[in-house]
Amino acid sequence: MNLKDTVKLANGVEMPRLGFGVWKVKDGDEAVNSVKWAIEAGYISIDTAAAYKNEEGVGQAIKESGVKREDLFVTTKLWNAEQGYESTLAAFDESLRKLELDYVDLYLIHWPVEGKFKDTWRAFEKLYKDKRVRAIGVCNFHEHHLKELMEDAEIAPMVNQIELHPQLTQEPLRKFCAENNIVVEAWSPLGNGKLLANPEIKAIADAHGKSVAQVILRWDLQIGVVTIPKSVHQERIIQNADIFDFELTEEEVAKISGLNKDERTGPDPDNFNF
Ligand SMILES: NC(=O)c1ccc[n+]([C@@H]2O[C@H](COP(=O)([O-])OP(=O)(O)OC[C@H]3O[C@@H](n4cnc5c(N)ncnc54)[C@H](OP(=O)(O)O)[C@@H]3O)[C@@H](O)[C@H]2O)c1
């Protein structure tokens, strides 16, 4: 495995297994610098969202990186307020304008807004058929949301990006997604930084001469989920990508998975108020 390793989505598109997340990265210099550092460090996948309000900085960094557009994998997301058929199409145009791109690799519904996500999905299917996005998917969908969406979808979601880390391993949902050929992508893989002091993971990290962050990200790869850590520090961005020169044993993987407490850092997708 290496930084360019991909997983094949249901439609054959190759999605990098490790990407760079930019939630809470400020637009302007912070976004431009951190995305450029990530691309310099070899990341080829960037995960942004309309709601992060940094698509312009991400787009600028991509442009200035000197890396060919087709060699990158860019994800953005549709925000809740824009759900609905026409409003989704308009919001997508606005994201492309800010990113200064003419397509995105992956477009995701950010949250399952009840009563709206099916109309939104019809717009996603149109964008996909019009070849303005290479793949479409969702975030924060429980199994019941996925089932409801797939009841009358023409195209099934290719990705479900969900909160996933050692204290929230999401095994039942991962199983359902695997059975339905939906790739699972872990958001807040480091528990938004809260897991970095975990003593059990620290012991494993010490045994490998690696950091806790590196061990968690390696665990993501070994359990088969795509992962998108965020940092605004160059040395951490480099460190988080330096996870291809060691391997966790099966026991270590099981030990980390055993830390599950079904404990979220973010809201439950059945109960969010934004
Ligand atoms: N779809 C959704 O609803 C959703 C929700 C949340 C997140 N996401 C996506 O998932 C991405 C990752 O999640 P996240 O940003 O919540 O958190 P995360 O990647 O789990 O953790 C990021 C935090 O850990 C720190 N950190 C990162 N690498 C480190 C290292 N090697 N050593 C020490 N500290 C380190 C960062 O600090 P510094 O930045 O100060 O270095 C930051 O505070 C987001 O950026 C976003 O793209 C999606």
Side-chain angles (χ1 to χ4, degrees), residues 27-28 31-32 48 53-62 94-95 97-100:
D27 204 13
V32 175
T48 184
K53 303 201 181 307
N54 56 20
E55 287 170 311
E56 280 162 329
V58 169
Q60 189 184 329
I62 289 171
E94 185 62 8
S95 280
R97 188 189 65 74
K98 287 185 172 160
L99 286 161
E100 289 191 70

Side-chain angles (χ1 to χ4, degrees), residues 79-83 87 113 116:
W79 186 241
N80 301 350
E82 271 67 58
Q83 288 216 21
S87 44
V113 177
K116 287 203 172 165

Side-chain angles (χ1 to χ4, degrees), residues 4 18 34 38 78 84 114 123 127 139 144 149-150 152 188 210 231-232 238 257 261:
K4 315 282 182 227
L18 178 73
S34 54
L78 174 85
E114 287 294 352
L127 292 169
C139 305
H144 74 87
L149 182 68
M150 290 191 293
D152 27 45
S188 289
K210 287 283 178 182
S231 176
V232 293
I238 293 169
S257 301
K261 296 181 188 165

Side-chain angles (χ1 to χ4, degrees), residues 21-23 47 52 77 110-111 139-140 161 186-193 196 211 213 228-233 236 239-240:
V22 296
W23 181 36
D47 181 87
Y52 302 168
K77 313 186 190 87
H110 213 144
W111 287 86
C139 305
N140 300 305
Q161 185 185 106
W187 66 250
S188 289
L190 310 175
N192 201 245
L196 297 173
S211 71
I228 45 170
K230 168 263 179 188
S231 176
V232 293
H233 294 98
R236 292 178 177 173
Q239 183 198 119
N240 292 347

Side-chain angles (χ1 to χ4, degrees), residues 25 28 30 75 79 92 139 142 169 182 184 198 211 235 245 265:
V25 176
E30 192 170 84
T75 300
W79 186 241
F92 178 75
C139 305
H142 283 314
T169 55
I182 299 169
V184 171
N198 182 287
S211 71
E235 68 284 2
D245 61 349
T265 62

